Amino acid sequence: MNAEVATAVETPVVGGDGRGAPAAEKQAALRVSGSSATFQPRIVGFLCNWCSYAGADLAGTSRTPYAATVRVIRVMCSARIDPTFVLKALAEGADGVLICGCHPGDCHYSEGNYKTMRRYPLLKRMLADFGIEEERVRLEWVSASEGQHFADVVDDMTRRIRALGPSKVKIALATDRAER
Amino acid sequence: MEQHRIGVYVCECGTNIAKVVDCAAVVRAAEVLPGVAVATSYKYMCSTPGQEMIAADIQEKGLDRVVVASCSPRMHEPTFRRTIRNAGLNPYYLQMANIREQCSWVHGAGAEATQKAIDLVHAAVNRVGLHEPLESRTVAMCSNTLVLGGGIAGLTASLELADAGYQVYLVEKADHLGGNLARVDLTAPYLDSAQDLLRERIQRVANHPRIETFLGTELRSLEGYVGNFTAAVALAGGDGGSGAGNGSAAQSGDGGGPGRWALEVGSVIVAIGYKEFDASRITHFGYGKLPNVITSFEFEKMVREGRIQTAEGGQPQYAAIVHCVGSRSQEFHAYCSRVCCMTALKYAHELKSAVPGCYISDVYIDMHAFGKGCEDFYRRSSEVKTLFLMYGKNEYPVIRKADPADDCGLLIEVNEQLSREQIEIPADLVILMVGMEAREDSGEVAHMVGISQDKDGWFIESHPKLDPVATTTEGVFIAGTCAAPKDIPDSVAQARAAAGRILARIAKGSIEVDAVYAEIDEEACSGCRICNELCPYVAIEFDAEAKRSRVISALCKACGACVAACPSGAIRARHFTDEQIFAEIEGVLA
Amino acid sequence: MGESVATTKKLQIALYWGAGCGGCDVAVLDTNEFILDVAALADIRLWPIAVDAKYRDLEAMDDGELDLALFNGAVRNSENEHIARLLRQKSKLLVAFGSCAHLGGIPGLANLATKEEIYDRAYLHNPSIEPGNTTVPLTQTSVNGYRLELPRFHRRVYKLDDVVDVDYYLPGCPPASDQVKAVLVVIASGQLPPKGSVVGAGDRALCDDCTRTKTEKKVKEFKRPWQIMADPDLCLLEQGILCAGPATRSGCGVRCPTSAIPCRGCYGPLPGVVDQGAKLLSAVASIIDSKDPDEIDTILAGLPDFTGYAYRFGLPASLLQRSVRP
Amino acid sequence: MATRVNPKLIDDLEIYGAQDVSKCYHCGNCSAVCPFSQGERIFPRRSMRHLQLGLEERLQADLEPWLCYYCGECSEDCPREAEPGETMMSLRRWLTSRYDFSGISRLFYRSWKAELWAILLVALLTGVGFLLLGFVQGDLEIYDGPGAFLPSHIVHWFDWGMAAVLVILLGINCARMWWFTMGKEGRANGTHVPLGQYLARAFLVPYHFITQARYSRCEHKRPWAVHLVLMLSYVTMLVLIMFFLGSMQAGPGIDWRVHVFGYAAALGLVVTVIFAMRGRVTRTEAHYKHSHESDWIFLILLLTVAVTGILQHILHRAGLDAAANIVYVVHLMGVVPMLVLEVPFGKWAHMAYRPLAMYFSDLQPRAVPSRSRVEPVRPAGASSGRA
């Protein structure tokens, strides 16, 4: 199949396969999310067990509704969140990644969230270099008592990502595969 | 990857989950996932039949991994771990998908909620396949206990433990025992004397051979882990700390200078109590400006001194009691302070008996008389002709000076809810029922002992209903009003409960601690020492000649900071490995 | 494979130079007189830099006729890809030789730019281009009747195993000559490591070989190497110099850090590490000595083009592989 | 403008019989069970509240107490035993004393001794007066006709005279009632009820007076029946005495056209009074549970009057005219104080206040803004809400 694709894309160079690409990207877009009107982002949430996960649970126990877009993965502390996880999620097709930890100074492990605080800005810079929009990755401090805050964050993030449309990472990798 | 036999159990939680998530669809989706041998849903997975179902499948269908999609793991993970352990599986062969708190309770019924549940189950199935059998460690349990706070809760807990024959270190910041209760005269609803409750306890504590009391002393740091803490306590700054701990304290650990002690303890009970709301924050009441507007504690003082009188020294002909000062308001504290209503009724009785002719107006929002004997107390109070007036939430009564012509010193203007009348209440003495607040130092204490606070500063229990005295830090317990406003019986009950929990552990002699901790693969470690500085519990030691770092598992609390930071991927977080989390990521995005 | 050694028949080998700097070929030559031993026990059937052979000779070979093909350089265009496929077809063993073939290498950094940007920079807006010259390479042109072809420039750079199946990886930019030697000897001897292994490198981070003393790390300020006289005996990272050593395989002989140059990470991620850049990020950021967001930003400002540094040799091998800008 | 609370008022009301007001915590059960409490007229609860707060002005302006017939259901269902029914009763007493200009009623309600002495005094005067009249102009042996000891035409004249006085006294109190509930209130609200409405709805007064229609809507029917019989008997008697005294006193032959009513009424009175007394002794029914001294005095008076009335009639038919005359005097010694003291100042007054209250409460919603007044008009809800 590679051969056909290769020839299919065989055209003058400048902007050449630029013509081939959009089609593929559209296809991929459809694969990922259906029409953007009903686009329901898929957000991976990494929550620390003690504050943020408890906060998300509180949103539940107090029946605070929010968009069904976030899929939570529990870690013991936000400091456990290896930037690799974020890249992995994006590469796997996440439209957004939400990182939540205890408020600075209130970490169950006394200092874990400071490590997160240090890694995050550098990670954001790196993501920007990869052309990933600002809004797609977000760090929020959510305490065990901030169910409402968690709900608000998810809704807000959902709104912003809806405006952006689906993440292009998976599409890009898909089109690359098509090129070979 | 070796083929597993995974059982997926979707809980309907009555209708809590089923009415939003299409459990049947989740089961159908789970059935086809690789390695899934059994997938089924049931009304209450946590019920005995539910657990028996899982156990039976493990034994009969030879399941080697279990996924339970139900409530939050913070709720029932221990339950189901026990279930599969009893059925012969390693307890860590369990993974839960939180489809209640984080799905059915926050989303409307429909495809989206169901899809989310399916994704979460998919992630759990992916992950559980990579779970390893872990054995929880047992560590020695030191039988000494540190009790923070010498109020009724702290005293009770201390006596409970000491009477059972174990050493207690009672650390009180003030220079005397008794806490807030010491400032109270009578107690509601039975009007027995607070001093009677306290005196004999304080005496017993003072003379108890197994209780060492540190007055004017505060906690400076708490290191170690359940069963094996080291607490550093020192004389509170400035405060003289009269009669602080004697010689034997020094033996219990090297002092590190005068007025400092290091205490070896196995458990900690935090019972630091509350502080009263500052009434002057509500300007409407004119507290601090109008001399005859006083707080409940100032009134208690009057009663104890036996002279209830106005600032001018006269007997009040009219007295008014204003409820919910600082409580149940959007501006200040949304919560109810729980004891004020009955205390207010108590004041009505005390006033009536001290000044028989006095007319008492009780200005309240709602009358909370839920406790034992309280409703009856409320009825009796109305029989002594207390005038109950209801004001609206966040519609504070306004207290002002009366005109010389009036037969009273003060006037309270209230929009009275029961009559829908704008009324003025005559008063010579106004008692403000100030609510309870978390102490200013509660934040420090929480941080030192590693427990969290809610938005109001109250300490958070490990489960509000099922585990009300334990905290998220193993071996640290909370009792009394530092957890939330409480009356005396509840505080005492909590104190005894905490003591009971500790005695049970001491009786066992050793204690099981979670098998989850980080470990360094010395074959992969390059000794770069990036992890060394990161551990808040100094659980990572560096072996200079081997040029390798090592984790002291007993000290490790499994936060995983080092794991994420290790650039060689040489550190593994047991039960939270990279592979397991990758599997989850792939699962939720499948 | 085994039988090829059993026979006394000479090893049939090919070396190819894809999208790379040629340093890898030099590294082979750097084996000095050893190259003669190679010549002695092997027929070099293709080596553009040293041997006069044509692609058609390669095309003419039978499948599996070659015993060993060393492919250095990344896959940037259709030509690289074509030869990669040919070599895979003709050779029993295919080795990704050097960082470019292994992880994408320096050329892989091009994945942060779009093809259009690259063309613009290379052929349109460049100081060395005379104004008004808008010539850009086309895959097909006809010059007075003759149809000329140029390789197609791929949208992005690939590492070798993105296009073909690879047997072994020999990391390094370039691989250390002694490692090259060692690997060739092993292969010649027929004691082959399991397929897919990284050969000619250690399984621990560079720090393991690095002789600089390491203490507990806390960094308040990052500096470029030229900004300080680095203490020759102290870990560079602890001196605030960004060093990829902790996140990089050993095997190079610690050539850079010993000469006061921080490791760039050419030997690639350690076994089990999925994304070298992300790991370096996590490690480096974690040891920043501050709890104040603003101060942290200032400290991080001392790490210009961190992405470029973190993925200097491995962008195509990273999880994101390339910029998603259209 | 905030209204001043007067915590002392409930103490005052205790004297009128309201013992348990302070127990009420306003669950509202009383108003829920009361068939009359609807729309803006929420009672007894609101009255209880106004009483607890001691809002005298409000209470004085309230008609609610008169709209209650004390069926007692509220008291039965009260979870706090705050006796709302009895409170309404006490409020009626309190209001009666408020309406009364002379202060006599207040005196009587606050001290039953005073009431008793007053009755005895009036009785004595009446006795002396009529004896004098008898001995001066007539013969003790003659009961009727020329030379009669107490000639019916004179007694008749006396009755009319007394009636006139009573009507004036009661009229003044009724006027005050109107002023408190309609006039003053209306002015405060800047509204007034047009005269046309007063005339149009005037029929309500006799209607309620005669039928007690409202009472009949109470859950328990018996108290209504009893009350109706008592009231009708009383009215019948009144009519007979005021218009047919001659033929009443005539005889010895029985004039059935007149006497049959007399017998019925007398029977009715005696039976119902005894019934009421039995009730107040046994205290089985809620509205008989609490008896104010004034209640007993009233019943005893009524019984004496009824019995002596019957007795003199019988004696006269038995030809014992002298005895009949003596009893007649005794009878009058009961009748006069009963009317003079009870009608304007005591329990009897309610026979005027009640129908008036129905009438006024029917009129209040018909109030319209007064053109003459300048200050803003309170919203209709508020004005009619506090009637």
Side-chain angles (χ1 to χ4, degrees):
Chain A
M1 94 140 234
N2 290 335
E4 298 130 38
V5 181
T7 46
V9 195
E10 185 69 46
T11 39
V13 166
V14 175
D17 36 24
R19 233 174 285 152
E25 290 187 14
K26 259 191 245 82
Q27 281 175 357
L30 290 172
R31 268 204 309 281
V32 175
S33 67
S35 80
S36 62
T38 62
F39 169 52
Q40 188 72 342
R42 289 192 302 173
I43 302 169
V44 176
F46 295 102
L47 273 57
C48 87
N49 177 59
W50 305 105
C51 296
S52 309
Y53 196 89
D57 278 354
L58 178 64
T61 39
S62 41
R63 308 297 196 277
T64 313
Y66 56 87
T69 48
V70 70
R71 309 281 189 266
V72 170
I73 291 173
R74 181 169 66 133
V75 291
M76 292 308 273
C77 175
S78 61
R80 174 67 184 95
I81 302 166
D82 187 330
T84 314
F85 299 168
V86 179
L87 303 185
K88 172 79 175 175
L90 291 167
E92 291 291 331
D95 298 302
V97 177
L98 173 61
I99 301 169
C100 295
C102 311
H103 286 268
D106 188 27
C107 175
H108 179 70
Y109 301 103
S110 68
E111 306 220 323
N113 46 8
Y114 289 117
K115 282 123 195 165
T116 315
M117 186 196 269
R118 296 167 193 157
R119 296 169 190 155
Y120 180 69
L122 198 50
L123 175 61
K124 293 285 280 190
R125 266 170 55 189
M126 186 182 266
L127 292 172
D129 292 338
F130 280 97
I132 288 159
E133 301 89 334
E134 234 271 314
E135 297 86 339
R136 292 200 188 272
V137 177
R138 180 158 168 180
L139 168 65
E140 285 285 343
W141 308 126
V142 175
S143 83
S145 62
E146 292 177 327
Q148 183 62 55
H149 179 47
F150 178 76
D152 296 344
V153 167
V154 173
D155 283 340
D156 180 63
M157 203 172 166
T158 305
R159 201 170 35 72
R160 294 165 180 274
I161 292 178
R162 266 216 191 94
L164 291 178
S167 158
K168 295 176 200 64
V169 177
K170 206 169 183 182
I171 307 164
L173 301 185
T175 38
D176 290 350
R177 270 192 297 282
E179 181 183 49
R180 308 198 300 271
Chain B
M1 186 187 90
E2 96 237 50
Q3 191 53 263
H4 285 294
R5 292 185 58 75
I6 304 170
V8 179
Y9 299 90
V10 183
C11 181
E12 297 167 5
C13 192
T15 58
N16 279 297
I17 293 171
K19 75 173 181 299
V20 172
V21 172
D22 177 353
C23 295
V26 178
V27 169
R28 282 196 301 279
E31 278 165 343
V32 299
L33 295 176
V36 173
V38 184
T40 176
S41 65
Y42 185 65
K43 250 217 160 343
Y44 288 104
M45 229 52 238
C46 59
S47 67
T48 317
Q51 295 190 49
E52 282 166 349
M53 179 199 300
I54 299 177
D57 287 359
I58 291 172
Q59 272 140 5
E60 290 150 25
K61 305 201 174 116
L63 302 182
D64 60 359
R65 296 286 192 281
V66 171
V67 168
V68 179
S70 60
C71 49
S72 169
R74 295 171 55 84
M75 176 84 188
H76 270 317
E77 196 168 50
T79 314
F80 292 112
R81 278 188 177 164
R82 235 176 290 114
T83 312
I84 69 169
R85 175 199 264 141
N86 298 342
L89 274 191
N90 182 289
Y92 290 87
Y93 281 162
L94 168 80
Q95 178 65 13
M96 290 183 73
N98 184 343
I99 62 169
R100 191 180 75 176
E101 282 83 348
Q102 293 182 18
C103 189
S104 72
W105 275 354
V106 286
H107 304 317
E112 283 179 4
T114 304
Q115 185 54 50
K116 178 172 177 178
I118 290 172
D119 293 350
L120 291 172
V121 168
H122 195 145
V125 170
N126 276 16
R127 189 190 207 276
V128 79
L130 298 168
H131 280 197
E132 306 152 311
L134 304 179
E135 289 315 324
S136 48
R137 305 157 288 166
T138 55
V139 297
M141 177 74 197
C142 167
S143 66
N144 303 346
T145 303
L146 172 70
V147 177
L148 292 178
I152 185 67
L155 293 168
T156 311
S158 304
L159 287 170
E160 199 75 11
L161 289 158
D163 289 347
Y166 300 104
Q167 179 64 38
V168 173
Y169 301 113
L170 176 54
V171 173
E172 166 59 54
K173 200 169 190 173
D175 58 4
H176 64 277
L177 292 172
N180 283 311
L181 187 52
R183 305 157 67 193
V184 173
D185 177 49
L186 299 180
T187 62
Y190 303 117
L191 299 181
D192 34 24
S193 152
Q195 303 317 311
D196 294 354
L197 300 182
L198 275 178
R199 205 175 296 107
E200 74 76 70
R201 274 183 170 63
I202 293 177
Q203 273 158 8
R204 285 193 50 218
V205 165
N207 309 331
H208 205 297
R210 296 205 176 280
I211 301 178
E212 191 170 336
T213 311
F214 298 82
L215 292 175
T217 310
E218 61 191 8
L219 180 70
R220 287 292 163 82
S221 74
L222 184 74
E223 262 135 34
Y225 53 97
V226 57
N228 305 271
F229 292 107
T230 307
V233 302
L235 291 181
D239 184 309
S242 50
N246 43 42
S248 61
Q251 295 154 23
S252 63
D254 73 293
R260 308 180 53 82
W261 299 269
L263 309 171
E264 301 299 328
V265 296
S267 324
V268 180
I269 295 180
V270 183
I272 61 171
Y274 69 96
K275 85 180 211 305
E276 78 238 49
F277 175 81
D278 170 12
S280 59
R281 289 170 67 191
I282 305 179
T283 49
H284 307 61
F285 297 149
Y287 176 74
K289 297 190 180 59
L290 302 170
N292 283 317
V293 179
I294 62 173
T295 69
S296 32
F297 281 105
E298 286 162 349
F299 182 73
E300 293 282 0
K301 193 156 171 296
M302 278 191 184
V303 177
R304 285 216 314 287
E305 288 163 357
R307 33 180 194 76
I308 297 177
Q309 57 188 29
T310 61
E312 299 72 28
Q315 276 209 337
Q317 181 194 11
Y318 302 102
I321 305 170
V322 180
H323 289 235
C324 297
V325 175
S327 312
R328 311 189 65 221
S329 81
Q330 283 155 13
E331 257 173 286
F332 301 102
H333 301 308
Y335 55 82
C336 162
S337 292
R338 282 181 99 229
V339 300
C340 332
C341 279
M342 289 307 107
T343 314
L345 297 184
K346 182 195 79 176
Y347 292 168
H349 284 269
E350 285 171 331
L351 272 161
K352 277 283 176 190
S353 51
V355 192
C358 181
Y359 291 95
I360 300 163
S361 308
D362 188 293
V363 190
Y364 69 103
I365 297 176
D366 290 304
M367 188 58 67
H368 286 186
F370 51 84
K372 196 176 188 180
C374 291
E375 182 58 27
D376 184 48
F377 189 51
Y378 178 24
R379 194 180 45 72
R380 293 211 308 279
S381 318
S382 60
E383 282 166 2
V384 300
K385 294 235 216 77
T386 309
L387 173 54
F388 290 99
L389 303 121
M390 181 192 260
Y391 71 97
K393 257 190 173 185
N394 307 309
E395 231 186 319
Y396 297 112
V398 179
I399 305 177
R400 63 175 171 87
K401 221 163 171 22
D403 314 327
D406 292 307
D407 67 334
C408 56
L410 298 164
L411 285 172
I412 310 173
E413 184 162 352
V414 181
N415 177 359
E416 210 276 326
Q417 300 293 299
L418 294 174
S419 58
R420 297 248 175 282
E421 298 279 353
Q422 192 68 25
I423 56 166
E424 272 180 343
I425 309 158
D428 299 314
L429 188 67
V430 179
I431 306 168
L432 302 176
M433 302 307 299
V434 288
M436 295 188 186
E437 269 181 346
R439 294 171 52 99
E440 311 90 335
D441 59 1
S442 61
E444 293 162 46
V445 175
H447 196 252
M448 276 189 282
V449 303
I451 62 186
S452 31
Q453 296 169 282
D454 68 14
K455 63 179 190 311
D456 300 305
W458 304 116
F459 298 148
I460 297 180
E461 51 282 271
S462 90
H463 189 284
K465 290 187 173 54
L466 302 178
D467 205 357
V469 296
T471 66
T472 48
T473 298
E474 269 290 297
V476 176
F477 298 86
I478 48 178
T481 49
C482 59
K486 257 182 215 67
D487 58 6
I488 299 161
D490 287 6
S491 302
V492 168
Q494 233 189 349
R496 289 178 179 257
R501 290 284 300 276
I502 293 170
L503 287 173
R505 291 166 167 212
I506 295 174
K508 252 179 105 188
S510 69
I511 161 143
E512 284 212 341
V513 298
D514 199 345
V516 176
Y517 55 87
E519 56 195 358
I520 294 179
D521 172 3
E522 299 201 7
E523 290 314 300
C525 175
S526 69
C528 72
R529 305 195 65 179
I530 280 182
C531 56
N532 294 187
E533 190 54 34
L534 300 180
C535 182
Y537 306 103
V538 286
I540 302 178
E541 62 181 358
F542 183 69
D543 177 338
E545 54 276 7
K547 298 217 280 106
R548 304 287 171 252
S549 294
R550 212 173 278 114
V551 172
I552 308 158
S553 62
L555 291 179
C556 173
K557 291 195 166 54
C559 66
C562 57
V563 185
C566 176
S568 334
I571 313 182
R572 293 174 76 259
R574 284 157 54 105
H575 207 56
F576 286 91
T577 65
D578 289 356
E579 298 71 23
Q580 289 166 350
I581 291 168
F582 287 156
E584 271 190 278
I585 297 172
E586 286 159 11
V588 291
L589 293 169
Chain C
M1 182 63 232
E3 107 280 349
S4 81
V5 174
T7 59
T8 54
K9 176 172 169 293
K10 274 177 130 189
L11 273 180
Q12 303 298 302
I13 68 172
L15 295 85
Y16 179 74
W17 173 0
C21 63
C24 287
D25 282 333
V26 175
V28 177
L29 293 172
D30 278 349
T31 56
N32 306 332
E33 66 286 349
F34 172 76
I35 198 73
L36 303 175
D37 310 355
V38 175
L41 84 158
D43 293 337
I44 301 178
R45 304 283 302 274
L46 176 79
W47 192 6
I49 191 179
V51 179
D52 182 19
K54 299 282 179 279
Y55 289 164
R56 57 175 175 281
D57 304 330
L58 183 59
E59 280 153 2
M61 295 181 194
D62 304 337
D63 290 2
E65 185 174 325
L66 292 171
D67 296 302
L68 171 67
L70 305 177
F71 189 108
N72 75 70
V75 178
R76 166 81 270 186
N77 61 27
S78 51
E79 180 189 13
N80 308 145
E81 182 176 353
H82 176 61
I83 305 300
R85 293 186 190 285
L86 268 177
L87 286 173
R88 173 71 280 179
Q89 194 184 344
K90 308 295 182 187
S91 176
K92 299 194 185 69
L93 285 180
L94 176 61
V95 173
F97 188 99
S99 302
C100 298
H102 176 205
L103 306 166
I106 300 274
L109 285 169
N111 285 3
L112 288 178
T114 67
K115 185 163 134 183
E116 290 68 26
E117 288 164 343
I118 294 168
Y119 267 62
D120 184 74
R121 184 67 179 149
Y123 300 105
L124 301 175
H125 299 94
N126 185 305
S128 67
I129 292 171
E130 84 191 36
N133 179 344
T134 60
T135 319
V136 292
L138 300 179
T139 48
Q140 299 175 12
T141 39
S142 53
V143 177
N144 43 36
Y146 295 97
R147 182 163 169 278
L148 303 180
E149 289 190 6
L150 278 178
R152 183 167 51 84
F153 190 85
H154 282 330
R155 175 185 289 110
R156 52 161 279 199
V157 174
Y158 300 97
K159 56 191 196 316
L160 185 58
D161 65 5
D162 284 335
V163 287
V164 293
D165 182 33
V166 171
D167 296 297
Y168 301 117
Y169 302 88
L170 178 57
C173 182
S177 302
D178 51 338
Q179 296 283 12
V180 177
K181 227 184 281 179
V183 169
L184 289 178
V185 169
V186 168
I187 293 176
S189 70
Q191 281 104 44
L192 294 170
K195 186 169 186 294
S197 9
V198 173
V199 295
D203 283 345
R204 289 190 206 216
L206 189 66
C207 308
D208 188 37
D209 296 348
C210 178
T211 53
R212 291 169 176 271
T213 47
K214 300 158 198 79
T215 62
E216 300 192 340
K217 295 178 171 46
K218 274 177 168 292
V219 179
K220 262 242 178 281
E221 186 190 1
F222 286 105
K223 304 186 203 64
R224 316 297 301 282
W226 50 265
Q227 288 175 303
I228 53 161
M229 281 306 295
D231 175 333
D233 305 323
L234 184 61
C235 167
L236 289 166
L237 200 46
E238 287 165 34
Q239 301 182 59
I241 296 174
L242 178 56
C243 174
T248 309
R249 272 182 192 268
S250 60
C252 60
V254 206
R255 285 174 298 191
C256 304
T258 34
S259 41
I261 302 298
C263 169
R264 266 84 162 142
C266 67
Y267 265 60
L270 285 125
V273 170
V274 182
D275 189 298
Q276 188 181 12
K279 265 304 184 189
L280 183 65
L281 185 162
S282 188
V284 168
S286 300
I287 58 170
I288 289 174
D289 184 15
S290 170
K291 293 177 180 176
D292 168 45
D294 303 337
E295 191 186 14
I296 290 172
D297 284 343
T298 352
I299 296 174
L300 288 175
L303 297 173
D305 184 23
F306 183 80
T307 312
Y309 200 108
Y311 293 115
R312 191 178 204 134
F313 296 92
L315 195 68
S318 72
L319 276 163
L320 296 180
Q321 297 179 34
R322 69 154 167 125
S323 163
V324 295
R325 284 180 295 112
Chain D
M1 167 55 205
T3 328
R4 177 72 58 88
V5 167
N6 172 13
K8 298 175 175 175
L9 187 68
I10 40 175
D11 295 350
D12 192 35
L13 256 292
E14 265 186 40
I15 301 162
Y16 292 83
Q19 304 287 344
D20 307 298
V21 194
S22 58
K23 290 185 191 166
C24 168
Y25 61 12
H26 302 277
C27 61
N29 276 348
C30 48
S31 302
V33 295
C34 178
F36 298 145
S37 171
Q38 55 216 174
E40 286 301 336
R41 299 209 177 279
I42 304 152
F43 68 95
R45 182 181 163 194
R46 182 190 279 128
S47 308
M48 301 281 285
R49 192 57 184 165
H50 287 163
L51 184 46
Q52 287 181 328
L53 298 180
L55 308 181
E56 300 186 41
E57 295 294 302
R58 293 255 183 289
L59 287 165
Q60 194 173 260
D62 285 347
L63 287 168
E64 270 98 357
W66 298 116
L67 304 181
C68 160
Y69 278 95
Y70 203 169
C71 64
E73 280 210 55
C74 47
S75 295
E76 284 163 10
D77 293 7
C78 177
R80 304 274 287 188
E81 292 164 344
E83 300 295 340
E86 186 56 23
T87 309
M88 295 301 266
M89 184 69 233
S90 321
L91 275 169
R92 285 194 286 275
R93 297 185 187 117
W94 183 77
L95 284 171
T96 311
S97 67
R98 277 309 185 98
Y99 298 157
D100 171 32
F101 68 99
S102 65
I104 295 174
S105 145
R106 184 163 186 282
L107 177 68
F108 287 176
Y109 275 126
R110 302 180 131 263
S111 130
W112 62 276
K113 295 205 183 72
E115 187 176 12
L116 198 58
W117 283 116
I119 289 167
L120 292 178
L121 181 67
V122 177
L124 201 66
L125 291 175
T126 327
V128 172
F130 280 104
L131 285 177
L132 278 178
L133 173 75
F135 287 117
V136 169
Q137 55 80 45
D139 177 349
L140 184 63
E141 292 301 321
I142 307 169
Y143 180 77
D144 188 33
F149 191 71
L150 297 176
S152 55
H153 65 278
I154 297 180
V155 178
H156 201 205
W157 171 86
F158 173 79
D159 285 352
W160 277 102
M162 185 170 68
V165 175
L166 296 187
V167 166
I168 291 160
L169 293 177
L170 190 55
I172 295 169
N173 290 351
C174 289
R176 284 167 60 85
M177 175 190 186
W178 172 85
W179 170 244
F180 291 147
T181 57
M182 305 288 287
K184 195 171 166 199
E185 274 302 290
R187 185 172 294 177
N189 308 343
T191 65
H192 76 285
V193 177
L195 186 59
Q197 291 292 348
Y198 276 105
L199 301 176
R201 314 296 298 170
F203 70 91
L204 287 170
V205 180
Y207 168 72
H208 281 293
F209 183 89
I210 307 294
T211 62
Q212 317 250 315
R214 187 178 171 84
Y215 202 168
S216 66
R217 296 219 306 275
C218 286
E219 198 89 345
H220 306 311
K221 297 300 173 203
R222 197 163 61 169
W224 163 68
V226 173
H227 194 265
L228 188 62
V229 171
L230 175 64
M231 198 278 307
L232 287 176
S233 321
Y234 183 79
V235 173
T236 323
M237 269 306 175
L238 197 69
V239 173
L240 288 175
I241 290 164
M242 296 309 277
F243 301 96
F244 305 94
L245 189 65
S247 32
M248 288 279 286
Q249 217 170 317
I254 294 173
D255 175 350
W256 287 101
R257 287 165 310 153
V258 182
H259 286 125
V260 68
F261 294 100
Y263 297 150
L267 186 69
L269 280 173
V270 174
V271 171
T272 50
V273 168
I274 291 174
F275 186 89
M277 287 177 148
R278 206 177 114 271
R280 288 197 180 274
V281 174
T282 57
R283 300 179 170 214
T284 42
E285 286 166 82
H287 59 292
Y288 285 147
K289 271 213 176 61
H290 313 267
S291 302
H292 194 261
E293 298 81 1
S294 59
D295 299 321
W296 280 113
I297 294 176
F298 174 74
L299 285 174
I300 294 163
L301 264 180
L302 200 51
L303 189 64
T304 354
V305 169
V307 171
T308 51
I310 296 163
L311 188 60
Q312 53 134 343
H313 182 75
I314 295 166
L315 289 170
H316 173 44
R317 302 283 168 262
L320 305 168
D321 284 9
N325 277 325
I326 299 303
V327 178
Y328 195 176
V329 174
V330 177
H331 175 65
L332 287 167
M333 285 168 74
V335 173
V336 176
M338 180 175 85
L339 295 177
V340 173
L341 300 177
E342 292 294 333
V343 170
F345 312 119
K347 195 182 177 80
W348 265 146
H350 81 276
M351 71 183 173
Y353 297 152
R354 255 194 210 291
L356 278 178
M358 317 277 172
Y359 177 45
F360 292 161
S361 67
D362 175 81
L363 289 173
Q364 271 163 343
R366 306 168 187 275
V368 298
S370 323
R371 250 170 278 83
S372 54
R373 306 194 52 79
V374 282
E375 66 233 38
V377 175
R378 286 238 305 248
S383 61
S384 59
R386 232 225 298 86

